Structures are given as structure tokens and as C-alpha cells.
Amino acid sequence: MAMKTYLGKMRGQRVKRARVGWQDACWSWFGTCTGMAVICLLSSAWLSQQLLIVGSFGATSVLIYAAPESPFAQPSHVLFGSMLSAGIGVACYQLLGTSPLSMSLAVSLSVLGMQLTHTVHPPGAAAY
């Protein structure tokens, strides 16, 4: 029964959403551009030997600036979900290296941890 319910949710239904106005779109662009520029500048100035720019920052920008009403875009989810996932990813890497098992455990344990702490932030799981 639980599996049938789960698979039914995955089918989903089309949701009609209001169109985004040009002013909101411009503010989203400005926020994304500014946020990514700051991250890039910090990365090149202080962490030139470390990789700070990852795909999850782009996905986080979409949530924060283009869908701020989303539960995944709330500050507690962005901060704690990302930090929790990064910690789990580092632990899996330290324990198991870059094996397929390590990668699958890092993502799946991140999802589990974020769900149990109510801090689900999808880009957080991409921080491995």
C-alpha cells in the first residue's frame, strides 16, 4: 500500500502557476548575479587552491531568487541542509574514498538526514 501511494505521488499532476512578471524576473536575475559574483570573488581571492564553486550553488540560487516561497528555499533549509549534507559527504569520502558506494551513501544519507532534521534542501545533496 505504501509503495502504491509513493508511486502515485511521483506521477504528479500538472499545476497551473501564475506567470512571473518582468520586474520579479529582473530582481531574480540581479540577486542570482550578485550572489554568484560574491561567491566567485571569494573563491578566487581566498580559496584559489580549493574548489568552492559547485553546481549546487547554481541550483540554490534558483530556489532562493526564483522560488523564494518554496520550503526548500527557506534560510534554515539552505544553511542546515547544505551543511549537514556537506558533512555527510566529507565523512563518506574520508571513510570510503571516491567509490560508487561512497557516492551513493553520501547522497542517500544526506537525503535521510535532511528529512529527519526537517531541513530538506535538494542542492545540498549535490555537495559531494
Side-chain angles (χ1 to χ4, degrees):
M1 180 71 170
M3 183 59 103
K4 185 177 180 180
T5 304
Y6 178 75
L7 293 174
K9 285 182 183 181
M10 291 185 70
R11 266 187 262 132
Q13 295 203 351
R14 216 161 159 82
V15 177
K16 184 149 180 135
R17 300 183 197 277
R19 284 194 157 303
V20 175
W22 68 271
Q23 290 174 322
D24 285 338
C26 287
W27 279 112
S28 295
W29 167 83
F30 179 75
T32 301
C33 187
T34 304
M36 290 304 294
V38 168
I39 290 170
C40 290
L41 289 170
L42 289 173
S43 179
S44 66
W46 288 311
L47 300 170
S48 60
Q49 300 299 319
Q50 306 294 323
L51 178 63
L52 179 61
I53 304 302
V54 291
S56 62
F57 282 123
T60 296
S61 293
V62 171
L63 286 172
I64 291 173
Y65 300 111
E69 70 284 348
S70 167
F72 303 138
Q74 301 313 303
S76 61
H77 292 241
V78 173
L79 277 174
F80 298 120
S82 295
M83 288 173 50
L84 176 67
S85 296
I88 290 170
V90 169
C92 287
Y93 172 76
Q94 292 294 322
L95 293 171
L96 301 168
T98 57
S99 68
L101 176 63
S102 171
M103 292 178 217
S104 61
L105 279 175
V107 174
S108 62
L109 289 172
S110 293
V111 171
L112 177 66
M114 287 187 291
Q115 283 185 312
L116 292 176
T117 60
H118 304 287
T119 58
V120 176
H121 181 62
Y128 180 76

